[in-house]
Amino acid sequence: MTKSVYAFGAGKAEGRASDKNLLGGKGANLAEMNRIGVPVPPGFTITTDVCTLYNQQGEEKTVAQIRAEVEDGIHHVESIMGMKFGDREDPLLVSVRSGARVSMPGMMDTVLNLGLNDDAVVGLARKSNNERFAWDSYRRFVQMYGDVVLGMKPESKDDVDPFEEIIDELKESQGVQNDTELTTADLQELVKRFKAAVKKATDQDFPTDPWEQLWGAIKAVFSSWENERAIVYRRINKIPEDWGTAVNVQAMVFGNMGDNSATGVAFTRDAATGEDLFNGEYLVNAQGEDVVAGIRTPQQITLEGSQRWAKLQDISEAERQSKYPSLEEVMPEIYQQLSDVETQLESHYKDMQDLEFTIQDGRLWILQTRNGKRTGAAMVRIAMEMLEQGIIDEKLAVLRVEPGRLDELLHPVFDPQALANATPIAKGLPASPGAATGRIVFFADEAEEWAARGEKVILVRIETSPEDVAGMDASQGILTARGGMTSHAAVVARGMGKCCVSGAGTISINYKARTLKIDKQEYKEGDWISLNGSTGNVYSGKIQTREPELSGNFGKLMDLCDKYTRMYVRTNADTPRDSKVARNFGAKGIGLCRTEHMFFEGDRIKAVREMILADDEAGRRKALDKLLPIQREDFEGIFEAMDGLPVTIRLLDPPLHEFVPHEEANQKEMADEMGISAEEVKAKVDSLHEFNPMLGHRGCRLGNTYPEITEMQTRAIIEAALNCMAKGIDTQPEIMVPLIGTKEELQMQERLIRRTVDEIFAERGEKIDYLVGTMIEIPRAALTADEVAEVAEFFSFGTNDLTQMTFGYSRDDAGKFLPIYIEKGILKVDPFQVLDQTGVGQLVEMGTQRGRSTRSDLKVGICGEHGGEPSSVKFCHKVGMNYVSCSPFRVPIARLAAAQAALENE
Ligand code: PEP
Ligand code: MG
């Protein structure tokens, strides 16, 4: 028969750290701590397999199967502790806790002080010499057991806990405020009333037999794996149903047995900054929950920590010593033991540990250890310092940092204290990370004006359009009511590294009244609001922010990434400024320069409009002649910023109607400019209307119907490259054709490009190397990639459009239903953020393979938003891409994810 119970205690254990799957994280670590000589209260772990059995075959069969092993487990604890379960003289009390493979904080159940009854409480009182403590433990037990095991816990926020109600009644009748003021007699009365409440609710007496209590608690923990909260948590965190939870039964130790007892939590390094400093908090004569409950001020463990804390609190050294001394001062010997244990645990687990301890009557016990949670900054610092200290090697250091957490190091952040006091008023999508605080402004041009006079502003729009870019740039952050993660606001903000919350559906904006309404609350232009682009939360008022610190450790980590990565990282950038930012972050070129973004700047929009509104080719060419020098200059700036690195420039992509004036005044202005009537302009604008512009006259369809646009852009690119070459700048242009679905669409563009380039080479009498490639963003292009590769010298997967067209979800409209789909569990994540590897991924993989079947050295990359998302980057590595391209501020994240992908697939 397979073993169901693994015992530990007194320096021995049947399990070990590597048994996490079988014993859960907590159980495996309790076993391991015994093996390495850390003092742990004895106990045993019932395996996760039993949980699975329990939920498959029911409780009766399962209990029968494990009964003898559990009884042996209790006897094992009794013999180590020299105490007896349910004894009137010296009762053994135990805790019963859940513990899955991965921590699922607060999702499942725990029972403490189990084994107490009317006999055992007498023994506990005598042994502890503290009657009040014994009865307090007893009433806490009945309450916890009633809530957890007997199902008396309130189900909704509006229901009251029957036990809390009884406590409140008693406190009122005794005229006291706090639980601590209740006398022993009061606590005895509480136990009596609690038991009566149990009888009333369950029609049964409170179980007095410790064995019955134990089985009740074990069954409750197993059942809690199937509770609603746990199921939802598993779904969100992708934890498989069949993992199950273990049950840990362990001898209770008490930190509230008098002044020689204490309890606390400790970290082997600073979880906020990563500093290699042992730290933590404790309280004398207290239980674990008192440390976190905030009723008493917890004290620092180390003297140094205590002195730093006092300084921050403005507390004098004399006051600190008398009121808040450190554990190091109060119990120097125990402190020394604890300090030795933390060093031992950290070097054993080779990671920062978060531990819980209790000191019972002068004796130290460690109740739990686990890898500590930490900020992004701490993550980097700890990994790099542990590498320097020889605790971990380079590969492990790279794998230790979660790529997504690097974000926190790159953008301004809210002061944590200030954030704790703020209440969110709305929630949107975390479109671009960072923290922003500023005054509400509704119009982009006004945002520029306000910013010019030194105001900090948040641009609040229903949605943004390319005309808003300068205003967005001038703002601290952007909030939109509509639009998803690939909306204009989101993409542009990420590119700028600017905080953005998009698609906050509950806000309603009235441009005319210059107000913003959330529920019934109205906010006016000039009111302060704050945005958290990492969570999507919107706050009213001002929240203090601080600049990020890019420490030396960050640079060292990036160097390590370069050492182990196979793919390299490019950036999506359309301006020299963004290019420089990305280069500083380690981008090895531009993977996508969206040329349409350049059409909007300054006065050039007029020339663009003139081109679109022209009646014939001659009219278009006239307007294009005006645009040529401007585009050429733009490209020169970008080539210069990317000296020595490849630059992929995409030909014009969006539908023409996006560029034309829709308001009457602008139409009039355009009419004057062109010397035609306003009616003519309006008629032309109307004729450009499309029912479904995303599937309309855009991408290569523009270049194939108006070849002169492609000619102009090609000329601008190649002339810029030649001009740069003359200045000694090393340029590597790659011309990219968007939105092709057939080889012929690409071929027509390619011939046009090459003919134009040859003309320029002939005119100038000089040459430069260049490539012509295409985006793969239409499913048909992926399916026929072998044909497409006959023409294309490189592929870049445009997974924004590819996702749109594979799912059939409009990028512009998906915001209406995607959040609901995710809430209902139809989709686990937004496929516009995280590449759908199962569906869209097939097209990416197939496209890559088919492309390379024709052209074995085909360069393949990705430039959709997924190029900066860690799980998608890892997928790109697996399908054999050469590079990923993402917005500048995500370059470090992608570099780390790419290096991890290489190491994970070694
Ligand atoms: C894409 O479709 O993935 C892409 C990068 O192009 P855009 O987002 O400009 O359509
Ligand atoms: Mg696209």
Side-chain angles (χ1 to χ4, degrees), residues 674-799:
M674 293 175 70
I676 54 175
S677 73
E679 287 70 35
E680 278 172 290
V681 171
K682 183 170 182 312
K684 185 81 191 172
V685 169
D686 290 346
S687 77
L688 287 168
H689 170 79
E690 290 181 316
F691 286 103
N692 199 339
M694 271 291 174
L695 300 177
H697 197 184
R698 62 176 279 224
C700 69
R701 299 158 204 170
L702 288 174
N704 279 329
T705 47
Y706 300 139
E708 51 281 6
I709 301 180
T710 300
E711 276 174 32
M712 181 281 284
Q713 290 203 292
T714 303
R715 187 165 278 279
I717 294 165
I718 296 299
E719 287 182 353
L722 291 172
N723 292 350
C724 284
M725 191 173 76
K727 286 193 259 176
I729 297 164
D730 172 13
T731 53
Q732 303 167 26
E734 302 179 347
I735 301 177
M736 180 155 77
V737 181
L739 220 74
I740 66 110
T742 72
K743 171 188 152 189
E744 289 70 22
E745 277 181 300
L746 172 63
Q747 198 152 44
M748 180 160 285
Q749 287 292 288
E750 188 246 4
R751 287 186 180 144
L752 188 58
I753 292 165
R754 294 207 186 276
R755 199 179 60 226
T756 310
V757 176
D758 288 343
E759 275 169 29
I760 302 166
F761 287 170
E763 284 161 26
R764 307 258 303 222
E766 50 189 354
K767 285 188 175 179
I768 190 164
D769 288 336
Y770 71 100
L771 299 178
V772 181
T774 188
M775 295 192 68
I776 304 288
E777 48 188 343
I778 288 182
R780 195 183 187 285
L783 293 166
T784 58
D786 47 347
E787 292 177 14
V788 175
E790 288 168 17
V791 183
E793 291 176 298
F794 64 87
F795 282 179
S796 179
F797 282 90
T799 43

Side-chain angles (χ1 to χ4, degrees), residues 346 348-353 371 374-376 378-380 382-384 386-387 391-403 405 557 896 900 903-904:
E346 192 181 270
H348 184 72
Y349 284 100
K350 302 185 187 304
D351 199 356
M352 187 260 263
Q353 296 295 296
N371 295 338
R374 61 205 81 173
T375 63
M379 211 173 258
V380 173
I382 290 173
M384 298 318 288
M386 283 196 163
L387 171 63
I391 301 171
I392 56 176
D393 64 14
E394 289 182 352
K395 293 180 182 180
L396 199 50
V398 170
L399 291 167
R400 269 289 163 75
V401 182
E402 288 169 39
R405 303 294 300 277
L557 173 67
L896 177 56
Q900 290 185 345
L903 290 172
E904 284 161 5

Side-chain angles (χ1 to χ4, degrees), residues 592 594 650 653 698 775 777 798-801 811 863-864:
L592 174 64
R594 291 176 164 107
R650 179 179 74 182
D653 182 10
R698 62 176 279 224
M775 295 192 68
E777 48 188 343
T799 43
N800 301 334
D801 275 309
R811 287 164 67 174
C863 64

